Amino acid sequence: MLVDHFPLVGLRLTTPRLELRLPSLEELGALADLAADGVHDPDVMPFLVPWTDRPPDEIARSVVQHHWLRLGNWTPQDWSLNLAVFHAGVVIGQQTIGAHDLAITREVRTGSWLGRLYHGRGIGTEMRAAVLHLAFAELGAEEAVSGALEHNLASHAVSRKLGYEPDGIQHHAIRGVRTSERRLRLTRAAWEHRCAIPVTIDGLASCLPLFAADAA
Ligand SMILES: CC(C)(COP(=O)(O)OP(=O)(O)OC[C@H]1O[C@@H](n2cnc3c(N)ncnc32)[C@H](O)[C@@H]1OP(=O)(O)O)[C@@H](O)C(=O)NCCC(=O)NCCS
């Protein structure tokens, strides 16, 4: 069975309202449709790589190809897990968690997006809390980093609610304009203090070698 060769397909994170897991092929298609329908106000780019500036069919294809790319080039030393987020059985967005040499760095990074219909209902906070639980409670992470462009107030609010602290500023050229990204960092102590959202994880044991978390 596929899960014997690639156990990540059996990994499932559950929160009160959400399920996070790898999508089936058809669910990946639905995730691509969702992205093509719009992830944010087109006038305001929230991403460092402006992948949503393309025509809808190219946005959709890029979601599919990026998903396969990160599964295909996965190594325990450098991995990035793009989890589809489901609410009431419907795919509503994507939550990413990744790391380099996790057993040594003990640091994970995250990124996320939701279909526009689903913004502003606390879902972004709940899905980030799910992967933070994976990182801190199960994979031995000591810190989680994130970042958001200065104008991305929703993303900053999510990070603030979860206990992240400012971690400096980095400048980028986005759409040809100098843009400030505020870096953010969450320590294990702050996570332990703030983590109030219950998270259940299934199918993790056989994935641990793939996360290189066994030494962590
Ligand atoms: C970022 C994102 C995932 C957050 O998800 P979400 O479900 O909307 O987030 P939540 O509802 O959990 O929390 C959003 C918070 O931002 C606040 N917020 C939203 N817009 C705001 C604004 N213009 N000014 C101030 N606060 C704002 C909300 O009030 C909420 O805080 P509260 O719960 O204290 O009221 C989602 O907005 C999204 O997909 N955005 C487009 C893609 C993106 O920006 N990805 C992240 C790139 S760094």
Side-chain angles (χ1 to χ4, degrees):
M1 285 170 67
L2 182 60
V3 71
D4 297 326
H5 305 298
F6 201 73
L8 293 166
V9 299
L11 182 65
R12 190 176 306 257
L13 281 54
T14 312
T15 67
R17 290 183 294 173
L18 309 175
E19 181 178 76
L20 285 75
R21 59 175 169 78
L22 291 181
S24 68
L25 289 179
E26 284 313 315
E27 290 165 344
L28 179 58
L31 185 69
D33 288 340
L34 187 73
D37 285 346
V39 169
H40 58 84
D41 174 354
D43 291 339
V44 187
M45 173 50 65
F47 299 114
L48 299 183
V49 176
W51 60 276
T52 46
D53 270 351
R54 302 181 202 172
D57 59 331
E58 290 183 26
I59 292 174
R61 193 162 56 246
S62 75
V63 169
V64 173
Q65 288 193 285
H66 188 254
H67 187 79
W68 288 334
L69 175 74
R70 292 313 270 145
L71 293 181
N73 66 11
W74 185 292
T75 65
Q77 292 70 40
D78 177 7
W79 54 265
S80 187
L81 179 61
N82 289 319
L83 293 167
V85 180
F86 296 86
H87 174 54
V90 176
V91 66
I92 61 169
Q94 177 170 282
Q95 175 68 57
T96 302
I97 177 170
H100 288 280
D101 294 311
L102 176 61
I104 300 166
T105 64
R106 305 282 182 98
E107 183 176 288
V108 296
R109 61 182 186 277
T110 64
S112 61
W113 59 264
L114 283 168
R116 285 190 80 176
L117 260 183
Y118 304 99
H119 290 198
R121 303 189 204 170
I123 291 174
T125 306
E126 198 165 314
M127 64 202 220
R128 179 106 64 94
V131 293
L132 291 174
H133 182 92
L134 172 66
F136 286 114
E138 304 291 352
L139 300 184
E142 289 298 325
E143 299 189 35
V145 295
S146 187
L149 301 181
E150 216 154 28
H151 54 73
N152 195 342
L153 300 178
S155 182
H156 283 292
V158 169
S159 297
R160 198 167 47 245
K161 284 189 280 183
L162 291 168
Y164 287 75
E165 295 286 344
D167 188 34
I169 289 180
Q170 194 169 352
H171 294 106
H172 304 271
I174 299 177
R175 288 178 168 169
V177 175
R178 185 178 194 258
T179 310
S180 306
E181 177 196 16
R182 291 196 190 160
R183 307 292 315 157
L184 297 150
R185 185 173 293 271
L186 177 67
T187 61
R188 167 177 286 279
W191 172 76
E192 282 170 352
H193 185 64
R194 292 287 184 106
C195 62
I197 297 172
V199 182
T200 308
I201 301 186
D202 296 300
L204 179 62
S206 48
C207 299
L208 289 176
L210 287 175
F211 290 118
D214 44 351

